[in-house]
Amino acid sequence: MSVFMDLNVLFSADRSRLQSLVETAAHLGFSTVAINYVFEPTTKKKQEVPSPVPISELIGQLPVVQGRSRPIKVLNRLTVVMSEASHFRPNTTEYRAFDLLAIQPTTEKLFHTTCMLCDVDIICISVTEKLPFFFKRAPINGAIDRGVVFEVSYASALRDSTMRRYTIANAVCLMESCKGKNVIVSSAAEKALELRGPYDIINLGALFGLSDADSKEAVSSTCRAVLLHAETRKTASGIVYTRISQQDTLQDCVGSEAPAAKRPKPT
Amino acid sequence: MVRVKSRYLLCEINVSDRRDLLKLDDRAVAGSVKAAVARTHGDYGAALCSIRFCVKYLNAHTGIVFLRFHKGCYKLLWSALPFITSIECRGQIIPCFLNCLHVGGTIRTCQKFLIRYNTRQLHQMLPKYKNKEEKRKIQEAILSCSLTGGGNKALEDELESEEEDDE
């Protein structure tokens, strides 16, 4: 029994919609869901990075995952859609409030910078338009070594036939260059009816050019690797993390799982 | 020994409004599956779908449907199922999605899985009910689940009444 996760559920201001989304995800068997806040900075005006609404305010009682006895875990994630490297400042306090960070690059140069340098967990491949640039092996291999994953989302494919073609085209291009490693498939669902069960997504991965085993990994173990990678961003090179105890003094704890996080696949 | 082999896909239809489930019938589901396969895989898919595809069982109360496919091409046709966004039935369009729970070689294995799955659903429903009378009914239904002896029918009745109470 593996753990399935859906790391992209779009945030909407409507509470009941989010609640029904999370409940459907729990019913389908996803153990973890990440609510995605999309942020698109433009150079014209200074925009505020949206701050995440705390989970306890959003959903009262977390539903239990189908087939398990634990309630579903809900995380926060920020996606920055950008065209220039200056838009992204990784150490600002607003970014620290999110559990996962993602970038959607729109130019080739930025894609290269993001893969090699930027401190993010996920690189989103856009599915709503034909890719303006081609993938090269060099930045992709660099990203794989660092533990960054590429994400393909499928909700737009469900809506429209042209989107379906773009999604499949872009996904197939990506799989060719990265050979199926470090990929996650997630829904960018706005409504509860746009989610799909984990085994259906595994089969959809076969359409994108992934093998069966890679496809299953794309929904389970690679997602878990992303979560571990995100945790290490808050620590000092993944070995030590600090936690404020009740007496307001700093305590040092050693995270034993952290060294494995630098390598996506445990050997 | 030549035996004709098929794959039976156990799917659950999820709708946003439970009352819409009752309007479904098997011909509507079959029609929408064929249309989705034709849209996704074109003429090749539509041809594969006509070999040995049929809807073997549909339970309108719980939304469970058994689809039968030819063993050689079930994966391709399965990959078209996520693209179903609505089912049209008697002129009404019901927005829904199909979630595949289990793939089996025979109807019997799918039925065994379905009984285990329904038992788990009843277990999950148990803490929600405060009324002693209803709790007793659910516990009786859980105990009476078995492959023979019509246990499955009792389950569906329980599920249907429980879900109506839920609203």
Side-chain angles (χ1 to χ4, degrees):
Chain A
M1 280 285 143
S2 41
V3 180
F4 297 114
M5 306 192 191
D6 190 357
L7 293 181
N8 191 346
V9 163
L10 287 182
F11 174 73
S12 63
D14 191 1
R15 287 272 159 95
S16 58
R17 218 194 235 190
L18 262 182
Q19 185 141 11
S20 70
L21 255 175
V22 174
E23 272 169 25
T24 318
H27 179 71
L28 290 174
F30 289 108
S31 326
T32 313
V33 157
I35 300 189
N36 189 12
Y37 295 79
V38 180
F39 173 54
E40 197 162 337
T42 49
T43 45
K44 298 275 172 73
K45 31 185 186 156
K46 186 122 170 50
Q47 271 159 323
E48 289 294 317
V49 178
S51 61
V53 181
I55 302 292
S56 44
E57 273 181 44
L58 273 179
I59 304 150
Q61 171 87 20
L62 287 174
V64 175
V65 179
Q66 169 91 274
R68 275 159 207 269
S69 47
R70 292 234 197 110
I72 194 172
K73 248 172 86 173
V74 183
L75 305 170
N76 281 319
R77 167 188 150 166
L78 176 70
T79 303
V80 186
V81 180
M82 54 191 212
S83 43
E84 277 175 40
S86 60
H87 287 161
F88 180 63
R89 261 162 268 133
N91 289 325
T92 46
T93 42
E94 292 115 1
Y95 286 39
R96 291 193 137 243
F98 293 96
D99 300 306
L100 293 169
L101 276 188
I103 284 195
Q104 186 168 340
T106 44
T107 58
E108 167 134 39
K109 200 165 153 229
L110 191 60
F111 181 74
H112 189 94
T113 331
T114 332
C115 285
M116 308 296 258
L117 298 175
C118 282
D119 191 13
V120 284
D121 306 309
I122 303 174
I123 299 183
C124 302
I125 305 295
S126 95
V127 290
T128 47
E129 52 179 11
K130 185 118 175 28
L131 270 184
F133 54 90
F134 289 111
F135 292 117
K136 297 218 182 94
R137 284 282 167 92
I140 292 196
N141 285 337
I144 294 179
D145 288 331
R146 280 176 58 213
V148 183
V149 299
F150 299 96
E151 181 198 37
V152 180
S153 54
Y154 61 79
S156 33
L158 301 177
R159 288 178 210 143
D160 192 25
S161 157
T162 351
M163 294 297 153
R164 215 180 292 172
R165 291 182 203 179
Y166 289 148
T167 312
I168 297 184
N170 294 353
V172 167
C173 273
L174 174 68
M175 301 312 164
E176 258 181 35
S177 328
C178 75
K179 289 178 280 200
K181 296 202 287 192
N182 277 39
V183 178
I184 62 173
V185 180
S186 62
S187 68
E190 293 167 14
K191 298 187 285 199
L193 289 174
E194 288 173 4
L195 282 174
R196 291 293 180 265
Y199 293 104
D200 285 330
I201 307 183
I202 291 174
N203 219 12
L204 208 60
L207 263 189
F208 291 158
L210 287 174
S211 73
D212 280 341
D214 284 340
S215 205
K216 187 158 189 209
E217 272 179 27
V219 196
S220 53
S221 43
T222 321
C223 291
R224 190 162 171 271
V226 171
L227 289 188
L228 292 175
H229 187 268
E231 272 184 36
T232 62
R233 258 189 309 112
K234 296 190 178 162
T235 72
S237 66
I239 311 243
V240 170
Y241 67 92
T242 55
R243 187 178 57 200
I244 300 182
S245 73
Q246 277 89 4
Q247 288 96 16
D248 265 346
T249 51
L250 285 170
Q251 250 177 0
D252 282 344
C253 308
V254 179
S256 55
E257 67 192 356
K262 282 294 177 185
R263 284 171 281 136
K265 291 201 177 80
T267 45
Chain B
M1 230 188 334
V2 172
R3 181 187 160 131
V4 170
K5 296 192 179 177
S6 320
R7 285 286 178 261
Y8 291 89
L9 234 60
L10 205 182
C11 296
E12 184 190 6
I13 303 184
N14 294 57
V15 276
S16 42
D17 188 7
R18 284 215 82 93
R19 286 175 295 250
D20 286 339
L21 265 185
L22 295 169
K23 302 179 198 157
L24 288 174
D25 70 338
D26 49 357
R27 252 174 299 178
V29 175
S32 61
V33 169
K34 280 196 209 165
V37 168
R39 252 182 298 142
T40 318
H41 297 297
D43 289 332
Y44 176 64
L48 285 179
C49 215
S50 68
I51 296 182
R52 208 149 64 230
F53 164 66
C54 74
V55 174
K56 271 299 189 186
Y57 167 83
L58 169 66
N59 185 338
H61 297 297
T62 51
I64 300 284
V65 56
F66 278 26
L67 300 167
R68 180 184 71 175
F69 294 116
H70 179 74
K71 179 182 158 185
C73 57
Y74 79 98
K75 275 228 161 138
L76 190 70
L77 301 175
W78 184 12
S79 68
L81 290 185
F83 292 107
I84 296 180
T85 52
S86 60
I87 296 185
E88 193 189 325
C89 182
R90 278 174 244 149
Q92 280 177 332
I93 299 188
I94 304 169
C96 62
F97 68 92
L98 250 60
N99 171 33
C100 172
L101 302 170
H102 185 249
V103 179
T106 57
I107 295 192
R108 205 172 160 80
T109 51
C110 288
Q111 194 186 9
K112 281 193 216 163
F113 177 86
L114 184 60
I115 291 181
R116 282 202 318 263
Y117 179 77
N118 284 343
T119 332
R120 243 188 289 151
Q121 299 282 76
L122 285 175
H123 277 300
Q124 274 190 345
M125 273 201 266
L126 194 55
K128 290 189 205 164
Y129 287 92
K130 316 286 183 212
N131 201 353
K132 278 215 166 150
E133 169 65 33
E134 285 168 357
K135 274 199 148 158
R136 194 185 52 79
K137 275 198 327 191
I138 300 185
Q139 278 161 349
E140 258 178 42
I142 294 181
L143 288 172
S144 73
C145 300
S146 64
L147 196 53
T148 58
N152 214 1
K153 183 100 189 359
L155 229 96
E156 285 154 19
D157 292 335
E158 279 308 322
L159 267 178
E160 164 221 314
S161 59
E162 252 60 290
E163 277 144 10
E164 279 170 3
D165 290 338
D166 218 359
E167 285 147 350

